[in-house]
């Protein structure tokens, strides 16, 4: 994904799949705790306002819209963990497997870390 864009500015953008079909609107952006880079977006889809998590790498912003390089059917079948909470390492691993992505830096994320911090969340909370 473009690294020069503020992840909070993705919220509210329209999202489209690899074929240009509209998926919905970006509801939340989740950051990698280790790097602070945007890693996942929760896209509000469909009539029932379900959130589908999509990887932001290798997605890109084109003409103000988020383009996700996956088919709509695969995105709609993604695990739904709800929004507004950290993604656990297990949930993030499920998403990596769902999209056929390899987990960077080893075979599994460390079990004692919080993953998927929400963009704009206060880092000082304990």
């Amino acid at each position: 994904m473009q690294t020069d864009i503020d992840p909070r500015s993705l919220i509210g953008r329209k999202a489209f799949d690899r074929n240009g079909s509209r998926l919905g609107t970006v509801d939340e952006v989740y950051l990698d705790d280790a790097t602070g880079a945007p890693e996942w977006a929760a896209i509000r889809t469909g009539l029932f306002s379900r959130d589908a998590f999509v990887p932001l790498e290798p997605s890109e912003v084109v003409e103000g819209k988020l383009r996700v390089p996956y088919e709509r059917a695969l995105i709609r079948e993604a695990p739904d963990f709800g929004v507004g909470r950290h993604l656990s390492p297990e949930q993030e691993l499920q998403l990596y497997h769902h999209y056929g992505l390899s987990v960077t830096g080893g075979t599994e994320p460390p079990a004692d870390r919080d993953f998927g911090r929400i963009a704009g969340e206060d880092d000082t909370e304990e």
Side-chain angles (χ1 to χ4, degrees), residues 67-83:
R67 296 195 79 92
V68 181
Y70 297 97
E71 299 277 338
R72 176 186 226 170
L74 181 66
I75 294 165
R76 289 188 178 228
E77 293 170 359
D80 180 7
F81 303 119
V83 295

Side-chain angles (χ1 to χ4, degrees), residues 8-52:
R8 290 172 290 201
S9 73
L10 291 173
I11 296 171
R13 289 185 190 255
K14 303 294 183 215
F16 295 83
D17 77 354
R18 72 183 321 158
N19 299 317
S21 297
R22 185 167 185 256
L23 297 168
T25 304
V26 177
D27 201 20
E28 296 282 352
V29 175
Y30 291 76
L31 308 177
D32 181 280
D33 282 343
T35 65
E39 189 168 19
W40 301 98
I43 298 175
R44 177 118 350 196
T45 64
L47 297 172
F48 301 107
S49 297
R50 175 189 182 279
D51 282 292

Side-chain angles (χ1 to χ4, degrees), residues 83 97 102 111:
V83 295
H97 288 303
S102 64

Side-chain angles (χ1 to χ4, degrees), residues 26-120:
V26 177
D27 201 20
E28 296 282 352
V29 175
Y30 291 76
L31 308 177
D32 181 280
D33 282 343
T35 65
E39 189 168 19
W40 301 98
I43 298 175
R44 177 118 350 196
T45 64
L47 297 172
F48 301 107
S49 297
R50 175 189 182 279
D51 282 292
F53 285 85
V54 297
L56 287 173
E57 181 62 43
S59 299
E60 59 185 349
V61 176
V62 177
E63 297 177 359
K65 299 171 186 145
L66 181 66
R67 296 195 79 92
V68 181
Y70 297 97
E71 299 277 338
R72 176 186 226 170
L74 181 66
I75 294 165
R76 289 188 178 228
E77 293 170 359
D80 180 7
F81 303 119
V83 295
R85 301 182 300 258
H86 280 85
L87 289 175
S88 72
E90 294 78 19
Q91 290 170 327
E92 191 170 19
L93 191 57
Q94 285 179 28
L95 290 169
Y96 273 104
H97 288 303
H98 178 77
Y99 287 104
L101 300 170
S102 64
V103 178
T104 57
T107 56
E108 294 194 23
D112 63 343
R113 293 192 41 206
D114 286 329
F115 283 79
R117 185 168 43 93
I118 300 171

